[in-house]
Amino acid sequence: MTAATTSPAPATDPASGPSAGPPSGPSGVSQTAADRGPGGLRALAGRPAVRKLAVLALLAAVLVPLAATRWPSGSWPGALTVDVSGPLDRASDWIIDNRDHHPLFLYFFGHISNAVIVSVRAVYLTLLALGWAGVTAAAALLAWRVAGARVAALAAVSFALCGLLGMWLPTMQTLALMAVAVAASVAIGVLLGLAGGLSERMYRALRPVLDTMQVLPAFAYLLPVVLVFGIGVPGAVLATVIYAAPPMARLTALGLREADAGVMEAVASLGATGRQRLLSARLPLARKELLLGLNQTIMMALSMAVIASVIGGAGLGDRVYQALSAVDVGKALAAGIPIVLLAVVLDRTTAAAGLRLGTDRDAGPRWLRGWYAWAGVAAGTAAVALAGRAAGSADWPEGWTLAIAEPVNTAKEWMVDHLYS
């Protein structure tokens, strides 16, 4: 025989009937005596945000009347303005006067400029040596290896369209610039992300710097870059690095800071050192964030292609800039389409590679897995490049181009004549 358990009957109120629990406030959240009484106010006053707001309100209550009494005009007082044009002008004059002989420029900035020029030239000459067939095959095979057959077909078609539009050489110049700029942005971003992801103090110090690098308009720092590095490829690449490095830094720090706590505790319990924990646990756990950072860095670097052409960046951006200066819509469109195609190919490739991390992409025959697949990519690229060289068609054939500038300009003129008042 089991004992029946009884629950006490709900308390009733003569006026309102049974009580279902503590009364609710206007928002429907139940209130307790501590929330309604002095104890709740003390708990609210103990919050750091409330204390900070109270201090700011007190300062405003004291300073605003004093400022209104001292400067009654209502506009910003001239006594509180700081003129920085003088120091900036003196700094600009000093850079111009000392750029050719000061050790800072000869032995530091000069070496950086030379390294950028040599790197861009090496990548460009490599692309020219592969020829149009080798570059197209390399893009398709790399996309197939990391993203699948569909992205590989998209890459092959996109590079073929770049040649079809008559923009093969400018496309290779843009690829060389972007390759060096993205490599430098990734290296700097990973280093900053490691510092911010492993140190809370460093993360707080880096946040305003990264915010400034991303929010500051690109044209605002083109002039300082030109003053230091001059007009040309180095200035264009370094301006692109300033604009494209913050996403990599932010996402690297995010991936390191959000590493699984259980995994990190297990690795630490095994006696791993800080370096071992970083290389064996934190970085592998942050692979998707790292690939997303690479994706965003590539996109932002390509978005700087046209802006960097203002200070001497060659390639597709320069073609767009010259066409817009001459109000030639057709040529601008012919150079702009390859930029879009490059962005789409690189975005799809890196995004698909990130999504396929941790899946069974290495399943299948042995010759399609691991280093065998990468060796196949290299061998296929070399074979196609040699075949193209042997056929004597390293450059995109002139007979395979489609001139769209004239039809686009004709359509533009018709629109101006008939659709505008």
Side-chain angles (χ1 to χ4, degrees):
M1 188 167 95
T2 59
T5 59
T6 60
S7 59
T12 58
D13 184 80
S16 60
S19 173
S24 301
S27 61
V29 180
S30 61
Q31 296 178 346
T32 62
D35 293 328
R36 299 191 304 270
L41 295 176
R42 286 195 297 269
L44 184 63
R47 295 181 179 180
V50 175
R51 292 200 300 269
K52 292 178 181 178
L53 289 175
V55 171
L56 292 176
L58 180 61
L59 289 175
V62 174
L63 296 178
V64 170
L66 291 177
T69 304
R70 178 67 178 80
W71 299 289
S73 63
S75 59
W76 184 263
L80 298 181
T81 58
V82 179
D83 186 11
V84 298
S85 60
L88 291 178
D89 289 339
R90 288 192 294 271
S92 175
D93 294 338
W94 183 88
I95 292 174
I96 293 173
D97 294 337
N98 295 273
R99 188 168 54 190
D100 296 332
H101 57 272
H102 195 276
L104 179 64
F105 295 93
L106 293 178
Y107 302 109
F108 182 69
F109 292 122
H111 288 308
I112 294 176
S113 179
N114 292 334
V116 170
I117 293 174
V118 170
S119 301
V120 172
R121 184 172 178 80
V123 175
Y124 181 61
L125 291 177
T126 301
L127 294 174
L128 291 184
L130 290 175
W132 70 268
V135 172
T136 304
L141 291 173
L142 284 173
W144 163 77
R145 176 65 185 93
V146 302
R150 291 185 178 180
V151 181
L154 174 65
V157 171
S158 298
F159 274 85
L161 285 176
C162 293
L164 187 64
L165 292 171
M167 293 292 166
W168 185 259
L169 288 180
T171 301
M172 296 302 101
Q173 292 174 341
T174 299
L175 268 181
L177 285 170
M178 292 302 105
V180 175
V182 169
S185 300
V186 169
I188 294 173
V190 168
L191 291 177
L192 294 177
L194 285 173
L198 301 177
S199 170
E200 179 67 25
R201 182 177 299 177
M202 185 63 70
Y203 180 71
R204 292 181 178 178
L206 283 176
R207 283 184 62 186
V209 177
L210 297 177
D211 290 340
T212 303
M213 292 170 67
Q214 279 191 287
V215 176
L216 190 68
F219 287 102
Y221 52 75
L222 288 184
L223 183 57
V225 170
V226 169
L227 283 175
V228 176
F229 295 98
I231 292 177
V233 171
V237 170
L238 292 169
T240 304
V241 170
I242 295 173
Y243 189 71
M248 192 71 205
R250 288 183 183 278
L251 287 166
T252 301
L254 177 66
L256 295 177
R257 291 167 64 85
E258 294 190 353
D260 189 272
V263 175
M264 297 307 302
E265 184 178 355
V267 173
S269 65
L270 295 175
T273 63
R275 180 180 179 182
Q276 290 172 338
R277 290 196 298 270
L278 174 65
L279 297 178
S280 63
R282 281 188 181 273
L283 286 177
L285 289 173
R287 285 182 301 177
K288 290 190 176 181
E289 285 80 5
L290 292 174
L291 273 177
L292 180 58
L294 175 62
N295 176 279
Q296 294 302 304
T297 298
I298 292 172
M299 294 299 101
M300 298 190 74
L302 280 172
S303 69
M304 278 288 292
V306 178
I307 298 176
S309 66
V310 177
I311 58 174
L316 296 170
D318 185 57
R319 296 294 183 95
V320 173
Y321 179 67
Q322 291 182 5
L324 292 178
S325 300
V327 199
D328 194 331
V329 179
K331 289 184 178 180
L333 183 63
I337 290 176
I339 296 177
V340 176
L341 294 175
L342 287 179
V344 170
V345 170
L346 296 173
D347 175 69
R348 296 295 186 272
T349 302
T350 52
L355 291 175
R356 296 182 68 179
L357 276 178
T359 62
D360 57 348
R361 67 173 185 172
D362 286 334
R366 184 177 182 182
W367 59 275
L368 288 177
R369 292 185 281 119
W371 290 106
Y372 292 94
W374 290 113
V377 170
T381 301
V384 174
L386 290 175
R389 283 284 181 179
S393 60
D395 296 333
W396 186 269
E398 291 290 338
W400 294 4
T401 58
L402 177 64
I404 66 170
E406 185 175 350
V408 169
N409 286 332
T410 302
K412 184 262 296 183
E413 294 296 337
W414 183 88
M415 293 173 63
V416 170
D417 293 338
H418 296 83
L419 300 183
Y420 290 88
S421 58

